[in-house]
């Protein structure tokens, strides 16, 4: 029996009594291969195999899993994938330019008993007691077959093309309850977040919760604990809603004809609905189908009236859903403590979403205050070119006002004595003048995105948020690609990374206190970051770079044993080996790294110092573009592992400050989320990892960019707060307006500092108070 394998399975949560049998399911050759890895590396390898086993179910259209999109695999690093391929437990193929992996029969033989053991460990009774009765009834109706439809959307669906989408859109509480159920299964290792991949589509779709093949057993156990009368009630309710929805879809767009003809319940519902449309149609009598099945035929006599009646019937169905599917307890995401506070500023929705009139503007809002310098102004290639249309005329210039003095600076908000341990970051004012705070500790995560074109005020908004966080003694790190993000107040330390500069960090340096960063992990992360920023680097070249770094570790006396990690791998040694490599392409790719001495210098940037408090400004504008993103990528990975080593944030704490160890702010965040490749985008691992994993280690992400399209579904699924400011042009407005459900005109006419703020399900107009209007 492999000691490392036993320890790895124990670290994964398997009980001692089951571990011997689980180890026996591993072929001896695999056990022998894993002996060369440390316990944490073995755990990562096995978790990746389990991830692929579960995530395969996100491929559904043909009734079997075609593969798992490579970028969504565990930890987004090539180490575990490479090891699993080497030992023959997974295989990879390419479909439509997308690399997908799937478990081999040998891999399935290992993964299946591991997954079954996790399901046996589930406390079904406890799980069922926390889940609303309608949830398993709904999911049981959507889970069919071996691989088919074992998914649930990770964000609220934007369309109502399916019955599930219709229910979730019109009963958000139901979505939140289903998502909570899926999230609990994910935390127990019985579900994963993965890309929905379909052989019939040219690319991977959005991120979804994906359940294992054995998900039916979980549902069966949950359903058996529910009162039979409750189950029957929800089964009949959902069946009734589904029948009406199907008929309305058929009448609206001609879909599901065969389904309606085959179902007596659907035919009865069709007859009922047609009777409601009597003033808009002529029903043809005595018409029979060739197979003897009666199906009412009709002619539309008034198309406008017909469409209006269908919309009315749809609204009736929506109201019926809202009335009958009542989630009788608070959903997990809404702010649980805000409702107890008197008149919370972010809770009240604003009915009208429109820019303020000229009379409502204050003198403190000048364009100069919110001018964003140095932002990239190009629009991404993925937005298709459209015919130029004239933009709305600019608003008339504001008249000078001398009748009243300029308003005094807004004082920094004092701590609310009614919320001990609260964390409230002052943003600005709603349309009715109320103060609006961001309280990240009351949300299910502390992440935020800020959108807007050049001159909208993103940079000043970032400065304000950073300064407010510093006032609250929260550590902040600014990743600044353009050199203009530094806050104007607070405890600020700035590191300018430049050619021959004094500041650096070494991504290959090890720390015995951080056993998550092993030589293998550090090497894999470094090469992953290189390949992201140099996408034309070939697989054989990446392998050569890995081997060179491994040899350099060995030459420096650094092995997998932590006692050797006090030694430092000097980047100059790697430079000598790389530049003398027989493959001339490799030095050409990495020459800039060594010329700029990117990872060597006089003073090392200290992660513990960053975490101690204040604002840390990482200024990258003096580097070439590709080196800026490489440095940021590797630097954020190092922060990730450092915080991971400190352990998860204690759960259940009432002190909101204890939920956060660091706030990371990134402008032009699109550059660390996706990269341009042949025709579509591929995932940049670092921010995806942050958004999905880092909240449990106390990290809040504040990401700024120009377009909502710069953030993929996985990022958006993990962002609690979204703020959309003025669009720079019509194309930006079109893209962002769709997501925020506002008019393009509003986004074009906002003044600097104004925007639409979404916190949970609340949406309001907000005007940020700039630095010049705040009293520190």
């Amino acid at each position: 029996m492999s000691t490392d394998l036993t320890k790895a399975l124990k670290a994964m949560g398997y009980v001692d009594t089951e571990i011997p049998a689980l180890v026996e399911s591993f072929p001896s050759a695999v056990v022998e291969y894993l002996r060369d890895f440390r316990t944490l590396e073995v755990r990562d390898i096995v978790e990746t195999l389990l991830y692929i086993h579960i995530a395969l179910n996100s491929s559904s259209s043909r009734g079997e899993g075609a593969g798992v999109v490579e970028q969504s695999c565990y930890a987004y690093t090539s180490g575990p994938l490479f090891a699993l391929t080497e030992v023959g437990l997974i295989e990879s193929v390419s479909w439509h330019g997308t690399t997908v992996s799937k478990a081999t029969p040998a891999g399935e033989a290992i993964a299946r008993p591991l997954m079954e053991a996790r399901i046996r460990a589930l406390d079904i009774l406890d799980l069922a007691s926390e889940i609303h009765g309608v949830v398993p009834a709904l999911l049981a109706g959507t889970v069919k077959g071996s691989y088919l439809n074992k998914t649930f959307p990770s964000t609220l669906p934007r369309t109502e093309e399916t019955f599930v989408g219709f229910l979730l859109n019109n009963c958000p509480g139901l979505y939140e309850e289903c998502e909570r159920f899926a999230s609990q299964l994910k935390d127990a290792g019985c579900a994963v977040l993965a890309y929905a991949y379909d052989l019939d589509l040219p690319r991977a779709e959005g991120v979804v919760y994906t359940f294992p093949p054995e998900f039916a057993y979980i549902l069966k156990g949950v359903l058996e604990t529910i009162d039979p009368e409750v189950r029957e009630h929800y089964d009949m309710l959902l069946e009734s809603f589904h029948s009406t929805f199907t008929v309305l879809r058929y009448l609206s767009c001609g879909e599901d004809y065969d389904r309606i003809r085959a179902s007596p319940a659907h035919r009865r519902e069709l007859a009922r609905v047609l009777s409601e449309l009597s003033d808009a149609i002529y029903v043809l009598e005595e018409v029979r189908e060739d197979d003897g099945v009666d199906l009412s035929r009709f002619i539309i006599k008034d198309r406008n009236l017909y469409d209006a009646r269908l919309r009315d019937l749809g609204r009736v169905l929506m109201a019926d859903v809202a009335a009958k599917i009542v989630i009788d307890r608070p959903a997990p995401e809404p702010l649980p403590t805000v409702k107890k506070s008197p008149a919370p500023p972010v809770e009240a929705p604003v009915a009208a979403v429109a820019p303020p009139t000229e009379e409502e503007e204050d003198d403190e809002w000048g364009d100069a205050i919110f001018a964003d310098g140095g932002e990239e102004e190009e629009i991404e290639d993925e937005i298709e070119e459209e015919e130029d249309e004239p933009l709305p005329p600019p608003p008339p210039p504001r008249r000078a006002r001398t009748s009243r003095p300029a308003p005094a600076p807004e004082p920094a908000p004092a701590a609310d004595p009614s919320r001990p341990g609260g964390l409230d970051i002052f943003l600005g004012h709603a349309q009715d003048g109320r103060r609006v705070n961001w309280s990240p500790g009351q949300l299910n995560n502390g992440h935020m995105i800020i959108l807007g074109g050049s001159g909208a005020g993103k940079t000043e908004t970032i400065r304000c948020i950073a300064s407010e966080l510093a006032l609250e003694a929260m550590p902040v790190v600014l990743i600044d690609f353009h050199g203009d993000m530094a806050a104007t107040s607070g405890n600020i330390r700035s590191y300018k990374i430049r050619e021959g500069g004094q500041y650096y960090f070494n991504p290959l340096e090890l720390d015995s206190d951080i056993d998550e960063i092993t030589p293998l992990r550090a090497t894999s992360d470094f090469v992953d970051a290189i390949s992201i920023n140099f996408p034309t680097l070939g697989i054989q070249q990446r392998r050569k770079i890995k081997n060179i770094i491994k040899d350099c570790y060995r030459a420096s006396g650094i092995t997998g044993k932590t006692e050797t990690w006090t030694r430092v791998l000097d980047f100059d040694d790697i430079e000598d080996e790389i530049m003398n490599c027989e493959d001339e392409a490799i030095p050409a790719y990495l020459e800039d790294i060594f010329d700029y001495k990117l990872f060597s210098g006089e003073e090392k940037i200290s992660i513990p110092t960053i975490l101690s408090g204040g604002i840390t400004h990482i200024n990258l504008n003096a580097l070439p573009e590709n080196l800026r993103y490489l440095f940021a990528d590797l630097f954020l990975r190092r922060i990730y592992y450092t915080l991971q080593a400190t352990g998860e944030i204690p759960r259940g704490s009432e002190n909101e400050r204890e939920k956060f160890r660091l706030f990371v702010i990134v402008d032009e965040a699109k550059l660390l989320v996706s990269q341009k490749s042949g025709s579509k985008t591929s995932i940049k691992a670092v921010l995806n990892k942050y958004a999905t994993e880092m909240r449990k280690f106390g990290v809040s992400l504040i990401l700024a960019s120009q377009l909502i399209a710069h953030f993929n579904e996985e990022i958006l699924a993990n962002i609690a707060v979204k703020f959309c400011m003025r669009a720079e042009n019509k194309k930006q407005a079109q893209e962002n307006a769709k997501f925020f459900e506002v008019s393009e005109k509003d986004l074009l006419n906002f003044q600097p500092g104004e925007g639409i703020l979404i916190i949970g399900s609340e949406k309001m107009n907000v005007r940020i108070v700039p630095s010049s209007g705040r009293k520190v």
Side-chain angles (χ1 to χ4, degrees):
M1 181 181 295
S2 167
T3 303
D4 281 344
L5 182 55
T6 300
K7 288 182 179 177
L9 293 177
K10 191 167 185 177
M12 293 168 65
Y14 291 100
V15 296
D16 292 340
T17 55
E18 289 194 321
I19 288 178
L22 293 175
V23 171
E24 290 297 321
S25 67
F26 285 73
S28 57
V30 174
V31 174
E32 189 62 31
Y33 177 81
L34 293 177
R35 290 184 191 277
D36 294 333
F37 296 88
R38 298 176 69 252
T39 300
L40 290 175
E41 294 171 332
V42 174
R43 183 194 66 186
D44 286 355
I45 291 169
V46 177
E47 286 282 11
T48 303
L49 177 62
L50 273 174
Y51 181 96
I52 292 172
H53 173 73
I54 299 172
L56 194 64
N57 289 302
S58 62
S59 309
S60 62
S61 71
R62 301 191 179 193
E64 62 181 1
V68 181
V69 177
E70 189 176 72
Q71 287 93 341
S72 71
C73 289
Y74 179 81
Y76 306 101
T77 62
S78 58
L81 294 175
F82 176 80
L84 290 168
T85 303
E86 283 284 292
V87 80
L89 297 183
I90 66 170
E91 57 188 6
S92 298
V93 294
S94 181
W95 297 98
H96 302 293
T98 299
T99 300
V100 295
S101 301
K102 65 184 301 182
T104 62
E108 287 289 339
I110 294 174
R112 195 172 297 110
L114 291 170
M115 190 68 255
E116 291 171 353
R118 282 190 170 172
I119 292 176
R120 286 195 298 271
L122 281 176
D123 188 340
I124 296 292
L125 289 175
D126 184 61
L127 189 65
S129 68
E130 297 182 11
I131 299 300
H132 196 281
V134 71
V135 171
L138 173 63
L139 294 182
T142 63
V143 177
K144 302 174 183 178
S146 176
Y147 283 92
L148 195 61
N149 292 335
K150 288 190 174 66
T151 62
F152 184 78
S154 60
T155 58
L156 201 65
R158 299 185 192 177
T159 67
E160 299 178 350
E161 294 178 353
T162 66
F163 174 58
V164 172
F166 172 82
L167 287 180
L168 301 181
N169 268 286
N170 294 290
C171 188
L174 176 60
Y175 167 78
E176 291 167 357
E177 195 75 0
C178 289
E179 194 274 342
R180 190 162 72 93
F181 178 50
S183 181
Q184 286 179 293
L185 291 179
K186 177 179 177 292
D187 291 342
C190 296
V192 299
L193 282 168
Y195 281 91
Y197 183 72
D198 194 319
L199 281 176
D200 295 325
L201 297 176
R203 61 185 176 89
E205 293 297 298
V207 176
V208 294
Y209 282 101
T210 306
F211 307 114
E214 300 83 1
F215 181 53
Y217 297 110
I218 301 174
L219 280 181
K220 180 175 182 291
V222 173
L223 286 168
E224 287 174 349
T225 67
I226 297 174
D227 184 279
E229 291 186 2
V230 173
R231 285 175 52 191
E232 184 179 3
H233 167 72
Y234 281 120
D235 284 341
M236 294 177 62
L237 196 61
L238 293 171
E239 183 178 347
S240 172
F241 288 154
H242 183 228
S243 183
T244 304
F245 173 82
T246 303
V247 167
L248 291 178
R249 288 283 297 176
Y250 163 64
L251 293 174
S252 177
C253 45
E255 295 180 4
D256 293 325
Y257 174 84
D258 291 336
R259 183 185 303 183
I260 291 174
R261 186 176 59 175
S263 166
H266 286 160
R267 294 201 302 274
R268 288 193 298 270
E269 182 63 12
L270 175 62
R272 184 192 71 80
V273 171
L274 289 178
S275 69
E276 299 285 334
L277 299 171
S278 58
D279 57 349
I281 63 173
Y282 294 113
V283 177
L284 305 179
E285 303 294 341
E286 305 297 331
V287 176
R288 299 180 62 85
E289 293 291 313
D290 293 340
D291 57 6
V293 176
D294 292 327
L295 192 64
S296 299
R297 297 292 187 90
F298 61 91
I299 297 173
I300 299 173
K301 63 181 179 181
D302 186 333
R303 168 58 68 175
N304 291 334
L305 183 60
Y306 177 80
D307 291 339
R309 290 286 183 267
L310 286 180
R311 286 193 296 270
D312 290 342
L313 288 169
R315 282 192 284 267
V316 169
L317 180 58
M318 291 178 188
D320 204 18
V321 168
K324 293 181 179 177
I325 298 185
V326 179
I327 306 300
D328 51 6
R329 62 158 162 259
E333 182 168 332
L335 316 180
T337 57
V338 167
K339 294 181 180 178
K340 300 176 184 178
S341 302
V346 297
E347 274 290 298
V350 177
V353 180
T357 63
E358 179 184 351
E359 286 71 21
E360 292 172 327
E361 296 172 3
D362 291 327
D363 288 336
E364 62 183 304
W365 292 87
D367 287 357
I369 294 176
F370 271 88
D372 283 332
E375 285 195 39
E376 296 185 23
E377 296 185 0
E378 86 268 8
I379 302 300
E380 289 293 339
D381 293 341
E382 64 260 25
I383 301 179
E384 298 179 359
E385 291 294 330
E386 300 174 5
E387 293 183 8
D388 292 336
E389 296 182 29
L391 295 177
R398 290 182 290 173
R399 299 185 298 271
R401 298 175 189 158
T402 57
S403 59
R404 60 182 174 87
E410 177 74 34
D416 185 349
S418 67
R419 283 178 25 80
L423 179 60
D424 301 308
I425 303 304
F426 174 58
L427 298 178
H429 296 108
Q431 278 185 311
D432 59 5
R434 288 170 302 153
R435 298 165 62 89
V436 176
N437 290 341
W438 169 43
S439 304
Q442 296 181 354
L443 304 170
N444 72 335
N445 65 65
H447 303 329
M448 173 191 290
I449 60 172
I450 303 172
L451 303 174
S454 179
K458 295 197 308 294
T459 299
E460 177 64 14
T461 299
I462 287 170
R463 293 191 192 110
C464 293
I465 292 174
S467 296
E468 293 290 343
L469 287 167
L471 287 173
E472 296 290 340
M474 304 303 294
V476 180
V477 61
L478 299 168
I479 304 297
D480 189 355
F481 293 124
H482 300 301
D484 59 355
M485 282 173 56
T488 55
S489 62
N491 176 21
I492 303 171
R493 63 183 74 88
S494 186
Y495 300 101
K496 189 174 182 67
I497 312 301
R498 58 187 302 169
E499 177 186 3
Q502 65 182 113
Y503 303 115
Y504 78 100
F505 93 102
N506 184 347
L508 296 178
E509 185 176 348
L510 305 178
D511 185 339
S512 58
D513 292 331
I514 308 176
D515 56 7
E516 280 79 4
I517 311 178
T518 66
L520 177 62
R521 172 59 65 83
T523 302
S524 292
D525 272 3
F526 181 77
V527 176
D528 280 352
I530 292 291
S531 62
I532 285 170
N533 288 278
F534 301 100
T536 57
L537 192 69
I539 188 170
Q540 293 301 326
Q541 293 164 330
R542 279 179 268 169
R543 181 169 292 180
K544 288 179 182 178
I545 296 173
K546 279 187 179 180
N547 289 333
I548 288 173
I549 296 174
K550 290 177 184 177
D551 290 342
C552 288
Y553 270 125
R554 283 193 289 267
S556 299
I558 301 172
T559 68
K561 298 181 179 179
T562 55
E563 56 265 27
T564 67
W565 294 0
T566 55
R567 301 165 185 163
V568 178
L569 176 57
D570 194 321
F571 246 81
D572 291 339
D573 296 336
I574 298 176
E575 178 180 1
D576 292 339
E577 295 297 326
I578 291 288
M579 300 310 289
N580 292 316
C581 176
E582 70 278 4
D583 188 335
E584 295 181 356
I586 293 178
Y589 278 112
L590 305 187
E591 187 174 20
D592 280 351
I593 296 175
F594 302 119
D595 285 349
Y596 275 81
K597 299 294 181 184
L598 196 61
F599 301 119
S600 57
E602 300 173 10
E603 182 179 339
K604 183 173 68 174
I605 300 173
S606 168
I607 303 292
T609 299
I610 291 174
L611 298 176
S612 66
I615 300 173
T616 301
H617 178 216
I618 306 296
N619 185 352
L620 302 173
N621 75 318
L623 295 176
E625 191 172 272
N626 61 330
L627 295 189
R628 297 179 202 175
Y629 314 140
L630 175 64
F631 187 98
D633 187 320
L634 289 166
F635 186 69
L636 290 175
R637 292 181 195 231
R638 177 53 57 104
I639 291 176
Y640 168 79
Y641 292 124
T642 302
L643 290 174
Q644 189 181 40
T646 64
E648 296 187 16
I649 294 293
R651 298 185 180 183
S653 173
E654 294 297 325
N655 190 325
E656 295 172 18
R657 295 169 176 271
E658 294 178 355
K659 297 180 181 181
F660 299 100
R661 294 176 177 142
L662 180 65
F663 288 79
V664 176
I665 304 178
V666 185
D667 198 4
E668 295 298 331
K670 63 179 181 182
L671 302 168
L672 294 176
V673 175
S674 63
Q675 68 180 78
K676 293 178 183 177
S677 58
S679 59
K680 300 295 177 184
T681 57
S682 60
I683 300 307
K684 282 207 170 187
V686 63
L687 287 188
N688 290 67
K689 178 191 291 290
Y690 261 61
T692 56
E693 298 182 20
M694 283 306 287
R695 67 179 179 184
K696 62 185 176 185
F697 299 114
V699 170
S700 164
L701 276 178
I702 302 170
L703 308 177
S705 194
Q706 295 172 333
L707 293 170
I708 193 68
H710 291 158
F711 300 102
N712 56 60
E713 292 289 342
E714 184 176 17
I715 294 286
L716 293 176
N718 290 277
I719 300 290
V721 177
K722 304 170 182 71
F723 185 43
C724 185
M725 307 178 79
R726 184 174 71 185
E728 186 175 353
N729 52 49
K730 188 173 180 64
K731 290 181 180 179
Q732 281 187 9
Q734 288 174 335
E735 192 74 22
N736 293 340
K738 293 177 187 175
F739 183 87
F740 284 85
E741 296 181 345
V742 296
S743 74
E744 298 169 20
K745 184 178 179 181
D746 287 346
L747 295 187
L748 288 166
N749 289 343
F750 275 147
Q751 296 300 309
E754 294 176 345
I756 302 294
L757 179 68
I758 296 179
I759 298 182
S761 60
E762 303 295 338
K763 180 166 67 174
M764 67 186 74
N765 268 32
V766 171
R767 175 181 288 187
I768 302 297
V769 172
S771 301
S772 62
R774 296 172 184 241
K775 183 189 298 182
V776 179

